[in-house]
Amino acid sequence: MTIQITMPALSPTMTEGKLAKWHVKEGDTVKAGQVICEIETDKATMEVEAVDEGVIGKLLIAEGTEGVPVNTPIAILLEEGEDKSAIKDASAAPAATKPAAAAPAPAPAAPAKPAAPAPIAKPAPAPSSGERIFASPLAKRMAEQAKLDLSRIKGSGPHGRIVKDDIDKAVASGTGKAGAPATVSRPVSTMTGSRQDKLVPHTGVRKVIAKRLTEAKQQIPHIYLTVACRIDALIEARKQMNGKSEAIKVSVNDLIIKAAAMALRDHPDVNASWTDDAMLLHGAVDISVAVSSDRGLITPIVRDADLKGLAAISSEMRDLAKRARDGKLKLEEFQGGGFTISNMGMFGIHEFSAIINPPQAAILAIGAGEDRAIVERGEIKVAKMMNVTLSADHRVIDGALGAQWLKTFKSYIERPTTMLL
């Protein structure tokens, strides 16, 4: 009998996903383990493999469709000896259901293939009282924001389901209005071209970032501590290290990661998390490093950073940062960590306070290195200085403990040779 391939749950928090791309088409023969599609989740974009062998009889969900609930059939697989007539038979009797399998590693999100042009959405007759309207979660949210009546919009998805494209067409054509015009941040421009307002749907990653940071500011009592570090010796040490070999190119950020890791080793109470029942002291020193990507901010982790040399940290960080920007990190490479570093010095930011990444208890914000006038032994001199700000969960890290940690971190930064001992 036919086999239904369903939307898999690719992470513990996943309830729906975007079918970003099909790697097969109807009529293709597939083998177990073959990549058949890419699914964008709330964490990353993952390649999905077939569990069984057979022929793709029908693709039920078009690529680019967002808000597909977990366990929703996305394709029908024909077993050996079956033809397309079996698909009609399957509509009368439930088909065997097999979830697709996730590939070991994520793949970069691919732009959705444009679907065949559909006619402009026309108002559909309102359903009778109590009749259910089928629409994707994203379409419902967009309709609510645009104040559209879903009962007046004709769906182009499977079985008449209303999808994102239907809402976009309704907004563009002015159909499906439920009374008052949509409310946006400013009046919608009547001008044509690029100056017109538009709604850009949130990605799964952006929604997760928004949810976690909102919870962090609402639920974590932040305390902020700032100190200025002199980095002349750090820059000179980096120059000497990089001059020894073309294969080793240590960055200032690599040295900051090492200094933070060693300070956490010296003050294990900072390498901790709050729980309602007890304080969780992390055994390993795992440093999360904020990396900006097209999909949003992601924090790959340098595991056991206190035990690794600068060359190893540098090599690992370059690889993690590249794969983070390409969307190729594995889940275990950016989930976890006990402490985060966010460096905005390369953007010329003098100083900032970062939001804690729960369930961690601290994040270190790094500002730009810049020449400043300082007083040394009664004389005014020019020194390269860098401001760093520790945001700490006051339930876990008291002000005095945070100050002690910053003092130790500063000593490693200003005397970089001590990190090599």
Side-chain angles (χ1 to χ4, degrees):
M1 62 186 301
T2 60
I3 296 172
Q4 288 184 348
I5 301 174
T6 60
M7 172 67 75
L10 301 177
S11 73
T13 59
M14 179 177 171
T15 58
E16 61 181 43
K18 173 183 177 180
L19 207 160
K21 182 179 182 181
W22 279 111
H23 285 272
V24 295
K25 59 183 182 296
E26 294 181 5
D28 283 357
T29 299
V30 298
K31 297 180 179 180
Q34 178 181 339
V35 174
I36 58 174
C37 66
E38 293 176 12
I39 303 295
E40 182 179 318
T41 74
D42 60 349
K43 301 291 185 184
T45 297
M46 307 283 287
E47 291 181 339
V48 174
E49 299 174 351
V51 177
D52 298 283
E53 296 183 356
V55 175
I56 299 295
K58 189 173 182 61
L59 301 180
L60 302 176
I61 303 295
E63 66 177 31
T65 302
E66 302 191 41
V68 181
V70 168
N71 295 326
T72 298
I74 60 175
I76 294 179
L77 189 69
L78 301 175
E79 294 187 304
E80 185 177 358
E82 293 182 323
D83 55 29
K84 286 199 171 184
S85 62
I87 298 175
K88 297 179 181 179
D89 297 336
S91 62
T97 300
K98 290 288 184 73
K113 181 180 178 182
I120 296 176
K122 296 180 180 180
S128 58
S129 177
E131 185 178 345
R132 181 180 175 186
I133 299 174
F134 291 93
S136 71
L138 174 62
K140 291 179 181 178
R141 289 195 295 272
M142 291 177 65
E144 183 179 355
Q145 292 171 354
K147 296 189 182 298
L148 298 181
D149 184 353
L150 288 174
S151 67
R152 298 176 179 272
I153 298 173
K154 185 177 181 179
S156 62
H159 309 294
R161 180 185 177 94
I162 300 171
V163 296
K164 172 182 175 293
D165 285 346
D166 301 321
I167 302 300
D168 288 336
K169 290 182 175 66
V171 171
S173 63
T175 60
K177 292 185 178 179
T183 301
V184 292
S185 57
R186 62 183 176 86
V188 177
S189 172
T190 57
M191 298 177 64
T192 59
S194 61
R195 298 192 57 154
Q196 194 169 16
D197 291 348
K198 63 179 180 179
L199 293 172
V200 180
H202 301 306
T203 64
V205 172
R206 178 58 59 188
K207 286 187 282 190
V208 170
I209 292 172
K211 181 175 183 292
R212 288 172 63 83
L213 295 185
T214 299
E215 289 176 350
K217 288 296 286 185
Q218 290 176 340
Q219 300 176 13
I220 297 177
H222 285 57
I223 181 174
Y224 305 101
L225 304 170
T226 300
V227 69
C229 301
R230 185 171 181 174
I231 59 173
D232 294 295
L234 186 82
I235 292 173
E236 181 59 29
R238 172 179 176 261
K239 181 179 178 181
Q240 292 180 14
M241 283 185 282
N242 290 343
K244 290 182 178 180
S245 171
E246 286 294 327
I248 300 177
K249 292 298 178 185
V250 176
S251 69
V252 170
N253 207 49
D254 298 330
L255 289 157
I256 290 170
I257 293 170
K258 180 65 175 177
M262 294 184 70
L264 287 170
R265 184 189 62 188
D266 295 343
H267 301 279
D269 287 348
V270 176
N271 189 29
S273 295
W274 172 268
T275 74
D276 290 335
D277 298 320
M279 201 75 75
L280 174 61
L281 300 179
H282 301 295
V285 179
D286 297 333
I287 304 287
S288 303
V289 182
V291 174
S292 179
S293 73
D294 292 340
R295 295 168 51 81
L297 196 67
I298 193 165
T299 52
I301 302 166
V302 179
R303 305 281 182 183
D304 296 312
D306 60 320
L307 304 179
K308 293 177 178 173
L310 284 165
I313 290 174
S314 176
S315 175
E316 187 173 332
M317 196 60 231
R318 282 200 305 271
D319 174 62
L320 288 170
K322 182 180 185 304
R323 290 191 291 115
R325 295 187 182 98
D326 292 342
K328 293 184 178 180
L329 287 177
K330 300 176 183 178
L331 291 176
E332 62 269 20
E333 290 178 319
F334 63 90
Q335 289 186 341
F339 184 95
T340 295
I341 293 173
S342 179
N343 189 342
M344 296 187 72
M346 67 285 293
F347 299 113
I349 300 301
H350 170 74
E351 180 184 314
F352 70 104
S353 301
I355 302 174
I356 295 170
N357 182 23
Q360 297 177 9
I363 181 171
L364 187 67
I366 309 296
E370 55 190 10
D371 291 331
R372 297 181 201 165
I374 65 169
V375 177
E376 189 176 77
R377 296 186 181 91
E379 296 181 0
I380 297 177
K381 295 184 177 181
V382 175
K384 186 76 74 176
M385 304 297 292
M386 176 181 74
N387 281 12
V388 300
T389 299
L390 179 71
S391 303
D393 183 342
H394 214 325
R395 299 170 300 179
V396 180
I397 302 169
D398 294 330
L401 175 59
Q404 291 166 9
W405 185 90
L406 273 177
K407 182 179 179 181
T408 301
F409 170 81
K410 176 182 169 75
S411 71
Y412 282 125
I413 291 293
E414 295 188 343
R415 295 185 297 159
T417 54
T418 58
M419 290 191 278
L420 307 177
L421 300 178

